[in-house]
Amino acid sequence: MTLPLVLFLVFVLVIVLLLAWAARPPAISPLTPEQALEALSEERHYSRLPQILQSLREDDTEFMRERGHCALLRRLRAERKRIALRYLDDLEGEFRILLECSRILATLAPELGAKTEFDRFLQNLWFSWNCRYLRWRLRAGWEPWDVFGVLSDMAGTLTLQLEAATARLGERALLVTHPGLRPHDRSRDSQ
Amino acid sequence: MVEPWTIRNLAWALTTCLEVVLLCYLLGRNLFRRHPAFCFYIFATLLQSVSGAWASHHWGGQSMEFFNIAWGTQLVIICARWFAVIEIARRVLASHSGVWKLASTILFVLCLVILSYSVVIPRTRWYLSILSADRAVEFCIAAFIVALLLFARYYRLEMTHLERQLSIGFCLYSCSWVVSNTLYQGSAHPSGMWWEFFEILAFFATLVLWINAVRSPVQIPLPATIPRLSAERYAEVSQQLNERLNSLNERLNQLFRRGDARL
């Protein structure tokens, strides 16, 4: 059997695996636009981030070791790590909500940009990967600074993209309800 | 010992019976209105079975006439299957115009790439060219369906149980064709009978899956579940989203910085 024929069998295996994954009914029902807005408006815990990051720094608790409270130091660090992990869960949850909102916008939008959608898909992959990596680092006891920075940038970028998308939708909606606001009409008005 | 040809004919007859049962269910449940292309496909497979049996009886299973009828009807079947698959894609995606435009472009390009690969890359013997072309189309159908399901999953699009099961059936059946064609072409002493028997069995399993799906209560999505907002609602939702995202963005920008964290 030649290599192209073997590749066919490999591709079929990949297709069957993807089918098994994609054909499962979704575990969670999709949010409606109203639910997404409600979820967005809920109070979050961002204001705790500086304290969490500060508490994870080794020098923040080093004085305990110097004074010989090693048991207390371990307990304190374990407790702080647990809080950081919970914070990470919240951060991930927030990103998921943003993604849900972006999906809702995509299903409502009359046109989608392939590049934007692809970028968002990649962001989703990277965010999930970074979250796992960060959890692993936290559990291993390593400082998570850089990864927190990456995650924050991704969430911020996604928010900006959503903002632009919603603005475009708003403009379209305005044009539909007020056709006189089309650019050429406005230029005529200004003359 | 039972003759292999007898087993094959028995499987063929059983498959034809299942086609009749499925067609009856489709007509009895008025599904031909919602899935006309799929109903036509099942009807076409039934006609293919009848015409194949007739040609085999008149000219024999090894004759040129039988060969021409078998592959001629197979061409119609493949076209009908494509229409049925596109019908499912339209039902799932077309109500969301933006997603539909993007998905149709991507799916079209995907099909072109796969067809090109399947036809150009493997250097097959000339007498296997029909099989190669057939495999290319089947491979394309399988990839198309998986991409469609991935799209539906990613954008959380509503898909009824029936549409899901039809898609799974089409995909698995096409995969079985690709596997059997590849194994047939790759083997040193190919046996057409066993290859044909394998495909009949795969179709048998697919029909069982579809009958099971058609028998279960058909869930018809309400139009209200499809997110359609009026222009006014669009504007309202957009404004609300903008405000909330703005405040969220501000908080994210302020807090998610390493430098700020050290404060």
Side-chain angles (χ1 to χ4, degrees), chain A residues 5 23-24 34 37 40 46 49 53 57 87 91 94 100 103 108-109 117 152-153 160 163 166 173, chain B residues 98 135 139 153-156 164 182 227 231 233-234 240-242 245-246 248-249 255-257 261-262:
Chain A
L5 292 183
R24 289 175 308 152
E34 285 75 15
L37 284 175
L40 268 180
Y46 298 119
L49 182 65
L53 291 178
R57 291 178 68 87
Y87 176 80
L91 190 63
E94 179 66 12
E100 283 295 314
R103 282 168 180 153
L108 298 175
E117 293 301 308
S152 64
D153 285 346
L160 283 173
E163 199 179 327
T166 46
Chain B
R135 179 182 55 195
F139 192 26
R153 191 171 184 85
Y154 183 73
Y155 286 110
R156 309 261 192 274
R164 203 179 293 279
T182 306
R233 190 76 186 113
Y234 255 153
Q240 284 177 351
L241 258 178
N242 264 356
L245 288 172
N246 258 331
L248 186 68
N249 195 34
L255 296 169
F256 286 172
R257 288 280 179 271
R262 283 181 173 174

Side-chain angles (χ1 to χ4, degrees), chain A residues 1 4-9 11-12 15-16 18-19 21-28 30 33-34 37-38 40-41 43-44 46-47 49-50 53-54 57 87 91 94 98-101 103 105-114 117 120-121 124 145-146 149 151-153 155-156 159-160 162-163 166-167 169-170 173 176-177, chain B residues 95-102 106 114 117-119 121-124 135-136 139 142-143 145-146 149-150 153-157 164 167-168 171-172 175-176 178-179 181-183 185-187 227-242 244-246 248-249 251-253 255-258 260-263:
Chain A
M1 192 172 283
L5 292 183
V6 174
L7 277 180
F8 267 115
L9 297 179
F11 287 149
V12 167
I15 282 179
V16 170
L18 280 174
L19 177 75
W21 183 80
R24 289 175 308 152
I28 45 164
E34 285 75 15
L37 284 175
E38 204 180 312
L40 268 180
S41 66
E43 198 57 45
R44 301 279 156 192
Y46 298 119
S47 53
L49 182 65
L53 291 178
Q54 179 66 35
R57 291 178 68 87
Y87 176 80
L91 190 63
E94 179 66 12
L98 285 174
L99 267 181
E100 283 295 314
C101 288
R103 282 168 180 153
L105 278 175
T107 56
L108 298 175
E111 221 162 289
L112 298 180
E117 293 301 308
R120 194 176 293 147
F121 172 72
N124 182 18
W145 309 114
D146 296 340
L151 290 180
S152 64
D153 285 346
T159 313
L160 283 173
L162 275 173
E163 199 179 327
T166 46
L169 279 174
V176 171
T177 46
Chain B
S95 50
H96 310 281
S97 58
V99 179
W100 171 240
K101 278 180 198 166
L102 179 69
I106 290 176
I114 291 173
Y117 172 79
S118 308
V119 171
I121 299 296
R123 290 179 184 172
T124 52
R135 179 182 55 195
F139 192 26
I145 290 169
V146 166
L149 287 169
L150 288 173
R153 191 171 184 85
Y154 183 73
Y155 286 110
R156 309 261 192 274
L157 303 181
R164 203 179 293 279
S167 308
I168 293 171
C171 186
L172 288 179
C175 284
S176 74
V178 176
V179 170
N181 273 9
T182 306
L183 292 179
Q185 290 189 25
S187 64
R228 276 188 192 154
L229 296 182
S230 65
E232 293 82 5
R233 190 76 186 113
Y234 255 153
E236 194 188 331
V237 168
S238 301
Q239 201 185 345
Q240 284 177 351
L241 258 178
N242 264 356
R244 279 158 193 177
L245 288 172
N246 258 331
L248 186 68
N249 195 34
R251 277 185 289 179
L252 284 169
N253 285 338
L255 296 169
F256 286 172
R257 288 280 179 271
R258 186 179 169 179
D260 293 344
R262 283 181 173 174
L263 292 172

Side-chain angles (χ1 to χ4, degrees), chain A residues 13 49 59 101 130 147 149:
Chain A
L13 185 68
L49 182 65
D59 51 8
C101 288
N130 276 326
V147 191

